[in-house]
Amino acid sequence: MSEQQQPPRRVTLKDVAKLAGVSHQTVSRAINDKGEIDPETRRRVLDAARELNYRPSRFGRGLVRPGAITLGLIVSDVVNPFFPELIAGVIAAAEERGWQVLISSTQDDETREPDLIRTLAAQVDVLVGYLSSPDATLLAAVEGLPLVVLGRPVHEPAFGAVEADVASGVHAAVAHLAARGHRIIGMIDCSGESGQADRRPPFVDAAAAHGLTVPSGAIVDAAQTVDAGDAAFARLRDEHPEVTAIFTFNDMLALGAYRAARRLGVAIPGDCAIVGFDGLPVGELVDPPLTSVHLDKRRMGAIAVEEAARLLAGETPGRAMLPVELAVRGSA
């Protein structure tokens, strides 16, 4: 077939987006008559579609029911006990609005995030996620898709954010240890977890504020697993037997510390107190029950959906801060 006989290239959704000066997700919402879009923006999109003679594919129209909003939720690991409650909160809040939820996981691999975001961008209207990549990387990947980042501060003004008040929680934990008479304390940290707020600086600050000693080398890095918590606790006890209390980055690490303590014959809290972070329900089932900074994960999910709705409505992105509280139990 000669060049002159080639059929014309099919007009795409991105062609309409370029002419209208909006994102392709906005075009999708306007074409499918979804809610939460400015009327003037919808008119501009529809005018561009008519000018280009754009026709949505039958496949694209069949992906979701007419008028539905689809929210994409990305978590790092669906089997991590932290995330089921968060997911439940997102789903419940989304269903109240008549939205659908599409869930995916990075499998604890930050390098998967950009491609996963781009894949979801063709299927959802707004994205919510526990994401570790730098803001600039996320901005390039979303290509205009509204995004709410969970669990850490963000600096990109286009993103919404929901984070926990980590600093106040850590300070409450250290203050509790000081009140219980501890003077030399340590920490099992996850400093490589860039997708979550840093706990080490507030831990060091709080220890100094209460006159507590954190020996050099008594902050041990570990991955977010029970096995890593086990190994880190054993190392701390071996290298710093003078430490009488340990704060852990999360409850998963605390559970690993429990396992190591049992193996090593270390009594909790008699020989070493332990305080976790996250408030996982499993912490109430161990013996003694785990003292932990409790974060309402269902509420975080609900707030994330509220922030997603704000973005879809064209409002200024919010920066929501979720309060936390120390749940004192038997371990400290």
Side-chain angles (χ1 to χ4, degrees):
M1 183 181 291
S2 68
E3 184 176 342
Q4 288 76 14
Q5 293 173 308
Q6 289 286 348
R9 183 178 70 85
R10 187 174 182 274
V11 176
T12 69
L13 182 147
K14 288 188 176 182
D15 294 326
V16 178
K18 183 177 181 180
L19 181 61
V22 298
S23 71
H24 63 274
Q25 288 81 16
T26 298
V27 173
S28 177
R29 294 201 300 274
I31 293 294
N32 290 290
D33 196 27
K34 295 187 178 183
E36 303 183 62
I37 183 172
D38 177 70
E40 173 58 26
T41 301
R42 177 182 284 110
R43 182 199 62 75
R44 191 165 76 250
V45 169
L46 295 179
D47 286 348
R50 281 191 291 268
E51 181 177 339
L52 295 173
N53 197 29
Y54 171 72
R55 294 290 183 271
S57 69
R58 287 186 299 166
F59 174 75
R61 290 199 304 270
L63 286 174
V64 295
R65 68 180 185 271
I69 295 291
T70 301
L71 179 148
L73 173 62
I74 297 177
V75 297
S76 58
D77 182 3
V78 292
V79 300
N80 184 322
F82 177 89
F83 289 112
E85 287 187 85
L86 172 74
I87 292 170
V90 169
I91 291 174
E95 286 183 345
E96 287 182 2
R97 295 176 177 270
W99 293 6
Q100 300 172 108
V101 179
L102 180 61
I103 302 169
S104 191
S105 168
T106 62
Q107 300 177 36
D108 271 329
D109 183 356
E110 178 181 325
T111 64
R112 290 169 50 89
E113 290 181 359
D115 286 342
L116 182 56
I117 289 170
R118 293 186 185 99
T119 298
L120 287 176
Q123 306 172 61
V124 304
D125 302 285
V126 62
L127 190 63
V128 171
Y130 257 87
L131 301 165
S132 301
S133 299
D135 288 0
T137 301
L138 297 178
L139 186 64
V142 297
E143 296 181 336
L145 183 73
L147 172 64
V148 179
V149 178
L150 302 179
R152 68 174 175 89
V154 296
H155 305 289
E156 169 52 50
F159 298 160
V162 184
E163 59 178 304
D165 190 356
V166 168
S168 70
V170 174
H171 276 263
V174 174
H176 173 73
L177 293 175
R180 290 295 174 93
H182 295 282
R183 291 295 174 261
I184 304 176
I185 62 175
M187 178 182 183
I188 302 177
D189 194 17
C190 287
S191 63
E193 299 294 331
S194 57
Q196 298 192 43
D198 196 350
R199 280 114 157 108
R200 185 177 303 193
F203 172 77
V204 172
D205 290 346
H210 289 279
L212 307 187
T213 298
V214 180
S216 176
I219 298 179
V220 178
D221 272 319
Q224 289 195 66
T225 67
V226 171
D227 287 346
D230 182 319
F233 180 88
R235 176 181 165 188
L236 263 174
R237 289 294 299 177
D238 179 59
E239 297 179 358
H240 295 283
E242 73 276 19
V243 166
T244 63
I246 295 173
F247 171 72
T248 65
F249 182 90
N250 62 21
D251 289 354
M252 292 287 284
L253 291 171
L255 295 177
Y258 266 61
R259 190 173 72 185
R262 186 175 300 110
R263 185 180 68 255
L264 298 171
V266 177
I268 300 173
D271 296 328
C272 186
I274 296 177
V275 179
F277 196 106
D278 285 342
L280 298 182
V282 69
E284 300 180 57
L285 304 179
V286 295
D287 183 26
L290 176 64
T291 294
S292 180
V293 178
H294 181 263
L295 160 64
D296 189 338
K297 294 161 283 295
R298 288 178 183 263
R299 180 59 184 151
M300 173 175 271
I303 294 174
V305 173
E306 294 172 7
E307 292 301 321
R310 286 167 52 90
L311 294 181
L312 286 173
E315 298 179 15
T316 302
R319 299 287 187 269
M321 182 67 74
L322 187 68
V324 299
E325 61 181 356
L326 182 67
V328 178
R329 302 191 183 100
S331 69

